[in-house]
Amino acid sequence: MEVKISKDLEDLIPRFLEKRKKEIKDMKYFINENEISKGEILAHGLKGVFGSYGFENIYLLICKIDDLLKE
């Protein structure tokens, strides 16, 4: 996957992704534990963050997960 980011933000990306990795693990945990509303809250937040920072492929995947959790 390729993401275009500003040179000013390059140093922040590893920490940003590490925090999102934990949130994704937490979302998976809640879904597996059938705590759908908690999983949906995390999915919605991740959708906003990834969309705002230009991670389009991950954003689209999280959108699908978010939609499924709302059903």
Side-chain angles (χ1 to χ4, degrees):
M1 172 186 335
E2 185 176 313
V3 177
K4 295 179 183 180
I5 58 168
S6 166
K7 290 279 186 192
D8 298 337
L9 299 177
E10 279 183 355
D11 293 340
L12 302 175
I13 295 301
R15 185 170 177 205
F16 169 83
L17 291 176
E18 195 59 39
K19 287 184 177 186
R20 301 302 76 82
K21 186 176 176 180
K22 182 189 180 320
E23 291 172 347
I24 289 170
K25 282 183 181 181
D26 291 345
M27 179 185 67
K28 287 172 59 177
Y29 171 81
F30 288 131
I31 292 168
N32 288 332
E33 294 297 313
N34 206 31
E35 295 186 48
I36 303 303
S37 63
K38 290 180 181 179
E40 185 183 346
I41 290 168
L42 283 172
H44 184 78
L46 287 164
K47 182 173 72 170
V49 171
F50 282 120
S52 295
Y53 287 97
F55 291 86
E56 187 175 347
N57 291 339
I58 300 172
Y59 166 76
L60 294 172
L61 178 62
I62 296 291
C63 284
K64 289 179 184 178
I65 293 169
D66 190 41
D67 289 344
L68 288 170
L69 293 174
K70 288 179 182 175
E71 291 182 358

